[in-house]
Amino acid sequence: GRKWAAVAQQRSVAKYVVANADEGDPGAYCDRVLIEEDPFRLIEGMRIAAHAVGADGGYIYLRKEYPRAAQVLAAAMAQARAAGWIGAGFDISLVIGEGSYVAGEETAMLNSIEGRRAQPRLQPPRVAERGLFGAPTLVNNVETLCVVPWIVEHGASAYAAMGVGSSRGTKLLSLNSLFQRPGLYEVEFGTPLRTIVEDLGGGLRRGSLRALMIGGPLAGLLPPAQLDLPLDFEALAAAGAAVGHGGVIAFADDTRIAEIATHVFRFGAYESCGRCVPCHRGSAEIAAMFERALQGQRASAQDYRDRIEALAATSLCGHGRGLAEFAVSLDRYFSTELAACLS
């Protein structure tokens, strides 16, 4: 609502609505299912958003790894255009990403749509003031836009009646293959993590739970002792985790914390846009530290913490800062395992 109001109040000849479908978090496939099962819901949500903010142009930025979703969307857009849903007054263009994880950050995504390198922009100005092609731009993810038609049909109070605190409505969660019943689930905010893991997911296929990753690698790991937390933006943030895009990845007790950390920081280094040295160089060095620890060689605790602090303090976007938050969760919940890697 705040985003929509900010764009609506801008005085500009051109405004844009952009659907962020660059779903890059490991284990997340909410957008893909929404698009492939009901592409018209996304188109309708964008049309309503455009009417609300006064936009005349729309873009869907779709992850390159979703070729079937691209085909479904293209066909649906053609039908919507023929039916007069889009076209005159408001049209939508489909842009396929080039495989960059960082392009999921809204300003990097706008650069990519403009044909430039997918690097985050300095803010301010916010995209609501100066976004795509320098015009006020509303950027929402697919799930947000897809819920808009339901709210219009049933009313805001019906949506607000679900959830808890300031986290209202529902959230899609994609449970990974380690669960007994992996798949996509829609749950009300406020649902305990234990209900998600044990009741919906049916527990794990092997072993016991070592750690839970919710919202992708740029959020913290949670130990089993935190399973009574509710799925709630504020509660998870206070615990050093995040709702994120809804990917729920469980790790069994046959996976070491150092293995998870190695993978996360290697992924972070590979997907860095290269603009911030502590991000693209520092995260690679941290990954190497954990790799050596797995071979019995402890890394310098001071060197490790210096790099984490640099990631947190000097990264331009949430990629580097998210990696730092991941490291903070290791220190908070898995200090014994982390201490075994450092000297």
Side-chain angles (χ1 to χ4, degrees):
R2 288 191 293 270
K3 278 187 177 183
W4 287 31
V7 177
Q9 69 185 11
Q10 300 298 316
R11 295 184 177 181
S12 176
V13 174
K15 294 182 184 180
Y16 297 99
V17 172
V18 177
N20 186 347
D22 191 56
E23 184 177 45
D25 281 348
Y29 45 88
C30 307
D31 289 353
R32 179 180 62 80
V33 173
L34 284 171
I35 290 170
E36 292 180 359
E37 293 295 323
D38 190 359
F40 298 106
R41 181 176 293 273
L42 173 58
I43 294 170
E44 185 179 2
M46 293 182 69
R47 190 68 186 85
I48 295 169
H51 176 74
V53 305
D56 57 2
Y59 287 84
I60 300 172
Y61 188 84
L62 181 66
R63 186 183 182 191
K64 185 178 183 178
E65 292 83 356
Y66 287 170
R68 182 171 180 270
Q71 294 173 354
V72 170
L73 265 178
M77 287 164 58
Q79 292 179 52
R81 197 169 287 115
W85 273 26
I86 58 176
F90 177 76
D91 205 357
I92 299 174
S93 299
L94 177 61
V95 177
I96 307 299
E98 294 298 333
S100 166
Y101 178 72
V102 176
E105 193 276 336
E106 63 178 9
T107 62
M109 178 185 62
L110 298 183
N111 279 345
S112 183
I113 293 173
E114 293 175 1
R116 298 190 284 161
R117 186 172 181 178
Q119 287 186 323
R121 302 176 183 176
L122 287 169
Q123 297 188 70
R126 301 296 180 186
V127 299
E129 302 165 349
R130 187 174 180 181
L132 188 63
F133 305 117
T137 303
L138 173 67
V139 179
N140 282 137
N141 62 39
V142 169
E143 187 175 357
T144 298
L145 291 164
C146 283
V147 81
V148 168
W150 191 96
I151 295 174
V152 170
E153 182 179 358
H154 297 277
S157 59
Y159 190 76
M162 297 181 285
V164 63
S166 60
S167 300
R168 314 309 304 182
T170 65
K171 181 74 186 77
L172 289 178
L173 300 176
S174 48
L175 276 57
N176 76 326
S177 60
L178 189 59
F179 287 97
Q180 292 281 2
R181 292 190 293 272
L184 191 65
Y185 297 86
E186 182 178 12
V187 303
E188 280 193 47
F189 278 109
T191 302
L193 299 184
R194 188 176 303 279
T195 300
I196 295 165
V197 171
E198 297 178 359
D199 296 345
L200 298 182
L204 307 188
R205 292 179 182 271
R206 67 172 194 275
S208 58
L209 182 68
R210 167 65 57 83
L212 194 69
M213 179 187 291
I214 302 177
L218 305 185
L221 281 181
L222 290 175
Q226 294 294 315
L227 285 186
D228 291 319
L229 282 171
L231 183 72
D232 173 297
F233 286 105
E234 289 75 18
L236 289 181
V243 174
H245 207 75
V248 181
I249 300 179
F251 296 94
D253 54 4
D254 58 358
T255 302
R256 291 180 285 179
I257 294 299
E259 292 177 300
I260 302 172
T262 299
H263 181 79
V264 166
F265 282 102
R266 189 188 295 128
F267 173 84
Y270 180 80
E271 293 293 349
S272 171
C273 76
R275 191 169 183 177
C276 304
V277 173
C279 182
H280 81 272
R281 288 290 300 274
S283 53
E285 292 172 358
I286 295 168
M289 289 179 183
F290 282 109
E291 285 178 331
R292 291 193 294 270
L294 289 170
Q295 299 168 1
Q297 304 174 41
R298 291 190 175 193
S300 164
Q302 188 61 52
D303 287 348
Y304 170 78
R305 299 195 186 282
D306 285 348
R307 283 158 178 76
I308 297 301
E309 289 176 8
L311 273 173
T314 66
S315 295
L316 178 63
C317 78
H319 188 73
R321 294 192 299 271
L323 291 170
E325 290 170 6
F326 174 86
V328 169
S329 76
L330 298 184
D331 204 17
R332 184 174 184 177
Y333 297 119
F334 304 96
S335 56
T336 301
E337 292 91 334
L338 180 62
C341 300
L342 307 174
S343 61

